Amino acid sequence: MLFGQKKPEGKTVLLLDVDNGSVGAALVRLEVDKAPRLFGETREYMRAPATRDTQSLMQAIGTSARTVLGKAAEVAGRLRNSSSLQARDAGVISEAKIFLSAPWGLPDLAGEPVFVPPMEQLLRESLAGPLAGTPVTLHTAAGGMLGGARQVLPYEESYLLCLIGSEVSELLLVSGGLPSAYATAPFGRHTVVRTLRTHGGLTDEEAHSLFALRGAPHEAAAEASRHFAEGFADAAGDILTGTPAAKVFVLAHGNSGEWFARALSASPAMSELFPRGGVVRALGARHVSPFLTAHSQEPDLMLGLEALFTNDSLKW
């Protein structure tokens, strides 16, 4: 203790990650001078709709949010009823942090982030049931991604982070550890799934399974790969002007990050974007795991990064 001050105790924070096609939740235990402990992780994935319908997507997100929040609250409740004092403390949720991907939450590099009011209201109402009275703060998924990635990536030079969403992907140019440009692009996992479903005759399950395969064993998969890489190049070209970034890190839910990274590496569009050459890598759960404690065997990538962001932003 310093001058009679008691050393701050740990706290448990609820993380809610809202993508444009999935919702994830976890509890993170934070203690001074310790790596964050992630537990109770869960994520609900939504089926790729035939067309993009914002209203239907919001309703599906609301349903998934209530499901994952219920599971997180159940884990916390079991801990609070434990015979262990340490476990009981871990079951007390001090606050909740909601991370919103585009289009629900957009960073403004020159000001405050922008959140879609109907989505914010929907999520706050979902929290009011299992976690009534818990303080809630909103963040962009891009901010959580960058905050966590800065602790994982050892690079000081400029690089491009690409978060593959279900319907919308986000690109963040990082220079000297700080965001310098941001863009969104209208493609994601569901874009690929719809292409494979419509032009390849595959079921959703078969389409998702292709993400785990090397190469493009299906003509429609090769077309989807080309379409994604070209869309990425268009979006990235708008924010790379004047910044010599030669590294691209791809983040995606589940096991699809490697697929998207290979799609970029194989595309001629990347040679035009990086005429002096560059490196494309998938940033996966295995890269985040060493910075967490007591997590599942393969932690949820975005929840893991958001746990690192939350831990780093604590004011003890």
Side-chain angles (χ1 to χ4, degrees):
M1 292 192 297
L2 296 176
F3 301 105
Q5 294 181 355
K6 183 179 179 182
K7 183 179 180 180
E9 298 177 353
K11 62 189 297 186
T12 298
V13 178
L14 170 74
L15 306 178
L16 183 66
D17 178 75
V18 181
D19 179 32
N20 36 73
S22 74
V23 180
L27 299 170
V28 57
R29 184 65 176 174
L30 307 170
E31 298 181 17
V32 178
D33 299 328
K34 291 185 179 180
R37 178 160 59 92
L38 198 66
F39 60 102
E41 303 155 62
T42 181
R43 183 172 292 276
E44 290 276 324
Y45 290 97
M46 300 160 208
R47 186 179 185 275
T51 59
R52 300 180 188 218
D53 179 351
T54 302
Q55 190 60 38
S56 297
L57 182 55
M58 285 184 61
Q59 292 175 355
I61 287 174
T63 300
S64 295
R66 288 188 288 273
T67 299
V68 299
L69 286 170
K71 292 179 180 178
E74 182 181 349
V75 171
R78 288 202 302 268
L79 289 173
R80 289 196 299 272
N81 292 323
S82 171
S83 59
S84 165
L85 179 60
Q86 184 177 9
R88 291 202 299 272
D89 286 344
V92 178
I93 299 175
S94 300
E95 61 180 295
K97 289 185 176 291
I98 302 176
F99 294 85
L100 292 163
S101 295
W104 321 121
L106 297 172
D108 181 348
L109 303 187
E112 294 295 321
V114 178
F115 302 105
V116 174
M119 177 58 76
E120 178 179 352
Q121 180 181 356
L122 183 153
L123 295 172
R124 288 186 182 276
E125 289 174 352
S126 299
L127 279 163
L131 296 163
T134 303
V136 179
T137 55
L138 268 66
H139 306 271
T140 63
M145 170 181 68
L146 174 60
R150 276 192 303 216
Q151 300 175 57
V152 175
L153 299 176
Y155 302 101
E156 292 296 332
E157 63 265 34
S158 299
Y159 55 86
L160 192 62
L161 289 174
C162 179
L163 172 59
I164 306 295
S166 298
E167 301 287 356
V168 179
S169 292
E170 303 180 68
L171 284 71
L172 189 66
L173 182 61
V174 183
S175 183
L178 299 175
S180 59
Y182 172 82
T184 61
F187 56 70
R189 283 172 56 92
H190 285 178
T191 311
V192 177
V193 170
R194 276 192 290 267
T195 299
L196 296 174
R197 191 168 60 195
T198 303
H199 302 290
L202 275 64
T203 65
D204 278 28
E205 291 73 18
E206 290 169 334
H208 281 289
S209 70
L210 288 183
F211 285 125
L213 300 177
R214 299 192 68 85
H218 198 285
E219 183 178 350
E223 178 60 29
S225 175
R226 287 193 295 270
H227 177 71
F228 159 69
E230 291 169 359
F232 171 89
D234 287 342
D238 293 337
I239 64 175
L240 282 173
T241 304
T243 302
K247 291 185 174 67
V248 179
F249 294 96
V250 180
L251 296 80
H253 294 299
N255 56 5
S256 60
E258 294 286 352
W259 189 93
F260 285 101
R262 288 195 299 270
L264 292 181
S265 297
S267 173
M270 295 299 287
S271 297
E272 298 177 7
L273 194 62
F274 301 100
R276 297 184 179 179
V279 176
V280 180
R281 294 178 179 172
L283 182 64
R286 68 182 185 278
H287 299 109
V288 178
S289 294
F291 298 87
L292 303 170
T293 59
H295 52 73
S296 61
Q297 185 173 0
E298 187 171 329
D300 183 289
L301 175 60
M302 282 307 297
L303 290 170
L305 291 173
E306 288 156 3
L308 294 177
F309 164 87
T310 302
N311 187 59
D312 189 50
S313 62
L314 272 181
K315 303 300 182 184
W316 294 98

